[in-house]
Amino acid sequence: MRIICKIARNELRNLFYSPVAWFVAIVFLILCACFYTAALSPLAVWQEQMTLNNPKWKDFYVSLTGLIFSNPNGVFYNILTNLYLFIPLLTMGLLGREVSSGSIKLLYSSPLKLREIVLGKYLAVMIYNLVLMGIVGIFILSAVFNIKSADIGLLLSAELGLYLLVCAFSAIGLFMSSLTTYQVISGIGSFVIFFILTRIGTLWQQYDLVRDLTYFLSINGRANMFLKGLIRTSDVFYFLIVIFMFLGFTILRLKGKRESRPWPVKAMRYMGVISVCLVIGYITSRPFLVCYWDTTATKANTIHLRTQEILKKMDKEPLEVTLYTNLLGERMVPGFPEGRNPYLAALWDKYLRFKPDIKFNYVYYYDNDGRLDDNRLARTFPNKTEKQIAGITAKMYQTDASLFIGPEEIRKQIDPYAEDLGLFMTVKYKGRTIHLRTFNDSEFWPDESQVAAAFKRLVENNAPKIYFLTGNLERNIYKTGEREYSLQSTEKLYNRKSLINLSFDVDTVSLDRRDIPADATALVIADPKSDLSPACLAKIQQYIARGGNLMVFGEPAKQTVIYPVLRQLGVQLRKGTLTQLSKNETPDKVVSYGTDPSFSLAEEFDQLLIAKKRKEKDTEDSLKLMMYGAAAIAFDSSGPFTIQPLLKTADKNTWLKKETLVTDSAAPVFSPAEGDVRDPSFVTGIQLTRQVSGKQQRIIVCGDADFRSNIRVGYDLYGNAFYSWLADNRYPVYLPGTRPRDTRLTITADGAAVLKTAYVWVLPAVLLLTGTILLIRRKRK
């Protein structure tokens, strides 16, 4: 070890007595300074202006540590993108210089072992790499002072990842230096190896035999998890294996120059090193052997505790996931064989951490007879059979057509039309199966809320069942028209937060033909247009009397239709239409505000909790909800139900207009003579509760049905809170996050400008002056 340290000390002396090391350090410093100040300065200016001009503004509400350093345009990712440019400049002459000067012969004739020579030189580069990481550390230390409660764990994890990456690059550069005496060729060779290791993970991914091998060898993305604050032993071992492999190659290369051995013997030595590395890599990457450390303050890389608890309940029981890919469907490319590893990394890695025995299956098929897309394929490929079209499509996407089974065979396994021929997964546990879907949005794969709900349904087997009344021209849960209710209930592809995608069972029931199912969690009556039959009313009244949960959406001018249902509850929709004058909207659009009870319905996106905190601090109005033609609600509090308002108006320009409201003419006028009633606080939504047979009965009544329609539901911040409350808050599985603490800067805009000057100009100038003086003094000596 003493000899290795002496060689390293001598090599470091040579490094710092040459301009290259100083040049690399100065350029690297300027680069990091530009990245850091470019991210910091705009935020400092923004914070200062918002603080001065908006008294209600508190902070950025996002982690500034992550925003400045770990987002795709942040400091760390920019450093990562450019890091490979510096290493060949340092390593291209480490061994080539010894050969070209002839000093390698002295080393060979000395009592030094080859591994001591190689390890000594590599240790010197590792120490120099610490200098580069020290430069990064300057900006990490600066961030600790510039960001209030900076996420130090994230910063240190990222620096560790960068250091391991630069050490791996250095080992590669050292090996390339042993291959040639020409430093330029060594440098170019290092770039080539870097490029190969970066791109090899995308090669031959369609072949089962080499897919996992090439994906494992890829260095691309290995440091990314460190930059996000997640340290995995598999990634640490990967870098150590790459370092070991190329240092081994270097020793074998030098040894081969000293020995006269047949080339097969030399090749076997290299293959031995490769084999050892692959075996170690395979073992250390097994899911049940991988250890994780989420260093972020908010545990941003770890699934929620509620999801973890669900996975714990599965214990050792097998969980099987099958991905179904339709060659003739939409959104199928991520499901092709070459997308298998990215699919696992993007979707399932975070769950494998807590349940490493998940089994993954893949089924490839083709099926599209035109019933869903008006025979699009037949028009695109005229006079071709479905099998021929599948073959043509496979050639277009350069995939193997023989992998895909035909319509007859796939329909024996699943009904692909039930999932609109799209890319989806089945999750099987204890004989129970549930579907997970992909979505037509930027995220594509199901997020944790969908996966957690699916797991919970499989474990507990108690999914809530929501039945929508039909038969009286109610809002339809299967139609996609503007007034209908499909988007919030049965939509599979375009709304990941629909009930069906959050593991609710959704169906319709016509009470003129059948009774309300005994397993109904809640019955929804959504704006019937025609009077309910006596038989239908009787069944609803019996259902309410038994303690069934209910949600009723009414509309102005249809009060009489829904009155027979509401009468039993001590509730009625008041005659007339709520009218509200505003600058930008028609008078039938009324803004309602959430009351305190509404904030406790559910944890819907944390929006209700946020609104409650706002109201408590009196910083602004509570949660707003736009209603489009609403009726006011009247109720009798002396009945058997405990009734609390959920939604109320709060505008003095609001009144209840008894006559017909005309919205496409002059602004309406408040007229007491016509029976108009002015009240700034009309109730537009209520909740009713009572105890029936030891269970709390829950009912919601709203004076508007349009705010939940397909065209409006996206603006409703209550989301699925109403349905969650009716389902006793068992579903959806809400995953409230931890609010980051590093949401404000401690530096002013002027301070950021001074910092920019110091980091971009002053500090590099000091380093340049130090290097120049040292080199001049060395030359004089």
Side-chain angles (χ1 to χ4, degrees):
M1 188 64 190
R2 188 182 302 111
I3 295 175
I4 293 175
C5 292
K6 286 183 178 180
I7 295 173
R9 185 166 58 250
N10 183 66
E11 195 63 39
L12 278 173
R13 188 182 299 112
N14 291 335
L15 270 176
F16 283 101
Y17 284 155
S18 70
V20 174
W22 293 98
F23 172 78
V24 169
I26 293 170
V27 174
F28 187 71
L29 173 60
I30 295 174
L31 203 67
C32 292
C34 290
F35 294 149
Y36 179 69
T37 56
L40 180 70
S41 297
L43 293 175
V45 173
W46 180 278
Q47 176 177 289
E48 186 172 283
Q49 292 302 313
M50 291 298 291
T51 303
L52 291 174
N53 299 292
N54 185 357
K56 296 181 180 180
W57 190 85
K58 299 299 180 183
D59 53 43
F60 287 97
Y61 198 72
V62 298
S63 169
L64 292 181
T65 310
L67 186 63
I68 293 173
F69 285 92
S70 294
N71 83 81
N73 294 315
V75 176
F76 288 144
Y77 278 92
N78 279 312
I79 293 175
L80 183 67
T81 304
N82 296 278
L83 197 58
Y84 74 97
L85 298 172
F86 297 93
I87 305 306
L89 298 177
L90 299 171
T91 60
M92 61 186 182
L94 283 177
L95 289 172
R97 183 175 59 247
E98 306 285 357
V99 175
S100 60
S101 65
S103 59
I104 191 68
K105 295 179 181 180
L106 296 176
L107 292 175
Y108 283 161
S109 61
S110 67
L112 298 177
K113 297 178 181 179
L114 289 178
R115 66 172 178 269
E116 291 175 337
I117 298 172
V118 173
L119 292 178
K121 289 182 174 292
Y122 183 70
L123 179 60
V125 180
M126 287 182 65
I127 295 172
Y128 183 83
N129 291 341
L130 287 175
V131 173
L132 297 182
M133 292 304 103
I135 291 174
V136 176
I138 293 173
F139 302 98
I140 290 178
L141 185 62
S142 179
V144 172
F145 290 101
N146 297 154
I147 302 174
K148 183 180 180 181
S149 303
D151 193 342
I152 298 175
L154 169 64
L155 297 173
L156 295 180
S157 168
E159 183 152 38
L160 173 61
L162 291 173
Y163 182 66
L164 289 173
L165 179 64
V166 75
C167 286
F169 283 165
S170 299
I172 296 170
L174 180 61
F175 170 64
M176 295 306 300
S177 177
S178 70
L179 296 179
T180 177
T181 59
Y182 298 99
Q183 297 185 20
V184 174
I185 295 178
S186 173
I188 295 174
S190 298
F191 285 124
V192 172
I193 297 296
F194 297 163
F195 178 79
I196 292 174
L197 287 178
T198 301
R199 299 297 179 183
I200 195 172
T202 62
L203 300 178
W204 309 300
Q205 290 296 292
Q206 65 270 37
Y207 304 114
D208 292 338
L209 291 176
V210 296
R211 179 188 300 113
D212 291 337
L213 174 62
T214 56
Y215 192 77
F216 169 76
L217 291 175
S218 175
I219 204 170
N220 190 35
R222 289 286 181 172
N224 288 5
M225 298 311 295
F226 288 91
L227 304 193
K228 295 177 181 178
L230 182 64
I231 299 175
R232 301 185 298 192
T233 54
S234 58
D235 294 329
V236 174
F237 273 109
Y238 171 82
F239 287 115
L240 296 179
I241 288 169
V242 170
I243 292 170
F244 170 79
M245 183 169 66
F246 281 97
L247 290 182
F249 288 170
T250 306
I251 294 173
L252 292 178
R253 169 63 178 171
L254 296 180
K255 190 173 183 179
K257 287 183 177 181
R258 296 178 62 180
E259 297 178 343
S260 178
R261 296 274 185 173
W263 70 265
V265 174
K266 296 181 179 180
M268 288 299 295
R269 289 175 176 175
Y270 284 98
M271 292 303 299
V273 173
I274 294 174
S275 299
V276 170
C277 291
L278 291 179
V279 170
I280 296 174
Y282 176 81
I283 294 173
T284 57
S285 63
R286 295 305 86 198
F288 58 88
L289 292 177
V290 178
C291 297
Y292 299 80
W293 183 15
D294 189 349
T295 64
T296 60
T298 59
K299 303 303 175 187
N301 303 297
T302 305
I303 58 175
H304 199 275
L305 286 174
R306 294 177 182 176
T307 309
Q308 294 179 38
E309 289 299 322
I310 296 171
L311 289 173
K312 283 181 182 179
K313 292 178 181 178
M314 291 183 173
D315 200 24
K316 299 297 183 180
E317 292 290 335
L319 182 66
E320 189 173 323
V321 179
T322 303
L323 178 67
Y324 289 90
T325 304
N326 182 13
L327 181 61
L328 302 183
E330 296 182 357
R331 314 178 316 281
M332 71 289 195
V333 174
F336 284 170
E338 52 266 37
R340 188 175 297 181
N341 282 314
Y343 151 71
L344 294 175
L347 180 55
W348 293 110
D349 270 4
K350 52 190 172 185
Y351 304 102
L352 286 168
R353 174 180 173 183
F354 297 94
K355 189 169 178 57
D357 57 347
I358 301 177
K359 180 182 178 182
F360 296 97
N361 302 316
Y362 305 89
V363 175
Y364 306 100
Y365 71 97
Y366 65 89
D367 192 358
N368 194 333
D369 60 11
R371 74 178 81 164
L372 291 184
D373 56 6
D374 194 25
N375 220 13
R376 171 182 55 86
L377 289 175
R379 295 196 307 272
T380 305
F381 303 101
N383 304 319
K384 299 291 184 182
T385 64
E386 194 172 14
K387 185 174 183 178
Q388 290 173 330
I389 294 174
I392 295 170
T393 306
K395 288 182 180 179
M396 292 170 63
Y397 286 99
Q398 300 181 27
T399 192
D400 185 1
S402 65
L403 294 174
F404 296 83
I405 60 178
E408 298 80 8
E409 191 171 350
I410 189 62
R411 292 176 192 178
K412 295 176 182 177
Q413 302 180 32
I414 59 167
D415 178 10
Y417 288 88
E419 295 297 334
D420 297 332
L421 301 176
L423 183 69
F424 73 99
M425 292 145 281
T426 61
V427 185
K428 188 175 181 181
Y429 174 77
K430 286 187 175 181
R432 296 187 288 270
T433 302
I434 191 171
H435 289 193
L436 281 174
R437 301 170 181 90
T438 58
F439 301 98
N440 280 333
D441 57 25
S442 59
E443 193 171 348
F444 187 75
W445 298 111
D447 61 31
E448 189 178 344
S449 61
Q450 287 97 50
V451 176
F455 287 167
K456 183 176 181 180
R457 175 166 176 161
L458 290 173
V459 171
E460 300 180 358
N461 197 26
N462 64 345
K465 297 176 174 61
I466 309 296
Y467 288 90
F468 287 77
L469 184 66
T470 187
N472 298 89
L473 303 177
E474 294 88 352
R475 306 295 174 108
N476 194 296
I477 64 170
Y478 299 110
K479 292 183 178 180
T480 58
E482 290 184 3
R483 72 180 296 273
E484 311 300 348
Y485 273 21
S486 63
L487 196 60
Q488 64 178 293
S489 55
T490 60
E491 177 55 51
K492 297 176 181 178
L493 304 180
Y494 293 95
N495 182 17
R496 60 177 57 242
K497 299 299 182 182
S498 67
L499 295 178
I500 197 172
N501 286 325
L502 295 173
S503 293
F504 284 78
D505 280 336
V506 184
D507 203 352
T508 58
V509 58
S510 175
L511 298 186
D512 291 325
R513 300 178 180 177
R514 55 180 293 202
D515 294 334
I516 299 174
D519 62 355
T521 302
L523 176 68
V524 180
I525 304 175
D527 185 25
K529 288 187 176 181
S530 61
D531 292 337
L532 306 181
S533 67
C536 178
L537 284 173
K539 292 177 181 178
I540 294 174
Q541 290 166 357
Q542 293 171 8
Y543 174 76
I544 295 173
R546 293 196 305 268
N549 294 345
L550 176 70
M551 182 151 59
V552 179
F553 295 100
E555 279 284 313
K558 301 175 189 173
Q559 290 93 333
T560 57
V561 175
I562 205 68
Y563 175 70
V565 175
L566 300 181
R567 179 175 55 190
Q568 185 178 355
L569 308 176
V571 178
Q572 67 173 342
L573 301 184
R574 298 170 65 176
K575 182 181 178 181
T577 303
L578 285 176
T579 304
Q580 189 176 95
L581 297 181
S582 66
K583 179 180 178 181
N584 299 308
E585 300 289 354
T586 54
D588 62 325
K589 295 181 176 61
V590 177
V591 176
S592 294
Y593 296 88
T595 62
D596 287 342
S598 73
F599 302 135
S600 302
L601 289 173
E603 298 172 283
E604 183 71 27
F605 306 121
D606 287 339
Q607 289 289 349
L608 306 187
L609 300 177
I610 295 168
K612 183 177 181 180
K613 291 178 181 178
R614 287 174 177 171
K615 189 174 183 180
E616 288 172 352
K617 294 179 180 179
D618 197 29
T619 57
E620 61 177 80
D621 294 319
S622 63
L623 199 64
K624 295 181 181 180
L625 184 66
M626 177 74 78
M627 291 186 160
Y628 305 83
I633 299 176
F635 54 88
D636 180 6
S637 299
S638 63
F641 290 93
T642 300
I643 304 178
Q644 293 181 303
L646 293 177
L647 300 166
K648 299 173 70 174
T649 63
D651 193 306
K652 62 182 180 179
N653 291 322
T654 304
W655 72 89
L656 183 63
K657 187 170 186 59
K658 291 297 181 68
E659 300 299 327
T660 303
L661 175 62
V662 179
T663 61
D664 58 352
S665 184
V669 178
F670 174 70
S671 176
E674 295 179 355
D676 293 357
V677 178
R678 187 185 295 277
D679 186 346
S681 187
F682 288 102
V683 176
T684 56
I686 59 172
Q687 69 173 176
L688 302 89
T689 58
R690 68 172 178 177
Q691 293 297 125
V692 179
S693 301
K695 173 183 174 294
Q696 186 182 61
Q697 182 179 22
R698 299 182 172 190
I699 298 174
I700 291 177
V701 179
C702 293
D704 177 43
D706 288 325
F707 79 96
R708 295 294 299 170
S709 64
N710 289 340
I711 196 173
R712 307 293 184 187
V713 70
Y715 301 100
D716 177 13
L717 294 180
Y718 279 87
N720 292 312
F722 290 173
Y723 294 107
S724 177
W725 186 71
L726 292 174
D728 299 321
N729 299 112
R730 293 182 292 113
Y731 289 84
V733 179
Y734 289 113
L735 308 169
T738 303
R739 192 177 189 275
R741 298 175 57 199
D742 51 336
T743 56
R744 282 190 67 91
L745 296 175
T746 58
I747 189 172
T748 64
D750 291 339
V754 172
L755 210 61
K756 182 176 182 178
T757 302
Y759 285 157
V760 177
W761 299 103
V762 177
L763 205 56
V766 171
L767 192 60
L768 176 62
L769 183 62
T770 303
T772 302
I773 293 173
L774 184 64
L775 292 174
I776 292 174
R777 292 184 61 185
R778 171 66 177 173
K779 187 175 181 180
R780 287 178 178 176
K781 289 183 179 180

